């Protein structure tokens, strides 16, 4: 459930360029590959947030 450097790199490139298309060109990947990396990152973050919430609720 760790975030990968590839996912972070995709996120940074999309943020810097403001475009999935430009980020994919910069990374030499397809647009769908960049979108997939961002989707994986979001999914991992949601799971992590859910686990933290469960831990917090179990302490009460």
């Amino acid at each position: 459930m760790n975030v990968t450097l590839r996912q972070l790199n995709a996120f940074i490139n999309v943020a810097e360029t403001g475009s999935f298309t430009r980020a994919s060109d910069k990374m030499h990947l397809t647009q769908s590959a960049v979108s997939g990396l961002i989707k994986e990152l979001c999914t991992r973050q949601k799971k992590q947030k859910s686990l933290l919430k469960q831990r917090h609720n179990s302490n009460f």
Side-chain angles (χ1 to χ4, degrees):
M1 191 167 29
N2 295 323
V3 174
T4 67
L5 290 176
R6 235 177 138 199
Q7 292 166 335
L8 287 176
N9 191 32
F11 178 80
I12 290 167
N13 278 295
V14 171
E16 286 179 347
T17 63
S19 164
F20 279 83
T21 302
R22 287 191 294 266
S24 65
D25 289 342
K26 188 175 178 182
M27 295 177 69
H28 306 286
L29 296 172
T30 63
Q31 185 176 344
S32 62
V34 173
S35 296
L37 289 167
I38 299 296
K39 183 177 180 179
E40 289 172 8
L41 179 63
C42 290
T43 300
R44 288 173 192 252
Q45 292 304 95
K46 286 179 186 176
K47 286 181 183 176
Q48 215 169 29
K49 185 178 178 181
S50 177
L51 287 173
L52 289 173
K53 196 175 205 181
Q54 287 175 359
R55 288 182 191 165
H56 177 73
N57 290 338
S58 68
N59 289 333
F60 292 104

